[in-house]
Amino acid sequence: MNDTNIQDIPKIHTEIARKSEEIGFTMPSDLYVGSFLKTLIASKPNGRFLEIGTGIGLSLSWMIEGMDANSTLLSVDNDEELISIATSYFGNDDRIEVICKDGTEWIKEYSGTKFDLIFADAWPGKYSEIDEVLELLKVGGFYIIDDMTKQPNWPEGHEDNVIALTAYLDQREDLQLTKMNWSTGLIMAVKK
């Protein structure tokens, strides 16, 4: 098996990657994470999905590719420039809502329907507001976080945050957890 042979890259992905380079966006998700998200989302027809940390929309492109026609996705980021770019790519898709708002505020204010999958790719929902985010997850829903193995862009001392988060998730009795030393280091949890 050759896991580097990823065949189903979204058509828009190349353009978004080009735009990432053009504007100097240095925190894109990799192809493995994207393929993994697409596969998990495909397992939830008529699903409701949340991405915290839209960035420029690379992960979003994969998530959309996994969705069926009756699924919906909310993506939240606080960077107006990045949200504008992501909206230019995905704003015409009625299944998608891209929101420019501080993730912490959004999490604390949200009171809508729970989600089948949450991809927390920002500080809020991952290192802060973790309990609130996990409350937004349906039973049987996936909670996905990446960048759990040391990354070149980590600030000094960030590894302690990762260790503390992993320990916290490990002790929760309402989650079934799998840690994967693959891609950028993933944790997949399912709500019991």
Side-chain angles (χ1 to χ4, degrees), residues 47-123:
R48 184 153 173 79
F49 310 110
L50 172 64
E51 176 185 40
I52 304 170
T54 310
I56 197 165
L58 285 165
S59 295
L60 184 57
S61 72
W62 286 95
M63 295 172 79
I64 291 168
E65 288 273 320
M67 292 168 55
D68 68 12
N70 298 314
S71 293
T72 59
L73 189 153
L74 292 172
S75 188
V76 180
D77 201 296
N78 66 350
D79 187 311
E80 289 182 24
E81 179 186 9
L82 296 178
I83 286 291
S84 176
I85 293 167
T87 300
S88 74
Y89 293 125
F90 307 112
N92 292 330
D93 189 330
D94 292 339
R95 303 170 302 161
I96 312 307
E97 184 178 358
V98 182
I99 300 167
C100 186
K101 188 165 191 158
D102 176 77
T104 297
E105 288 178 28
W106 186 89
I107 292 165
K108 290 182 177 183
E109 293 172 5
Y110 181 77
S111 61
T113 306
K114 292 187 177 193
F115 297 95
D116 295 292
L117 179 144
I118 298 172
F119 177 44
D121 196 20
W123 191 272

Side-chain angles (χ1 to χ4, degrees), residues 123 150-159 161:
W123 191 272
K150 190 160 179 64
Q151 301 297 307
N153 62 348
W154 278 7
E156 182 74 29
H158 184 64
E159 194 164 2
N161 297 322

Side-chain angles (χ1 to χ4, degrees), residues 15-65:
E15 166 57 22
I16 300 171
R18 184 203 61 75
K19 186 69 171 177
S20 291
E21 277 191 39
E22 178 186 309
I23 68 166
F25 181 68
T26 60
M27 297 185 298
S29 293
D30 71 10
L31 296 178
Y32 298 106
V33 172
S35 179
F36 186 64
L37 288 168
K38 179 180 177 179
T39 301
L40 291 176
I41 284 177
S43 78
K44 301 285 187 180
N46 301 305
R48 184 153 173 79
F49 310 110
L50 172 64
E51 176 185 40
I52 304 170
T54 310
I56 197 165
L58 285 165
S59 295
L60 184 57
S61 72
W62 286 95
M63 295 172 79
I64 291 168
E65 288 273 320

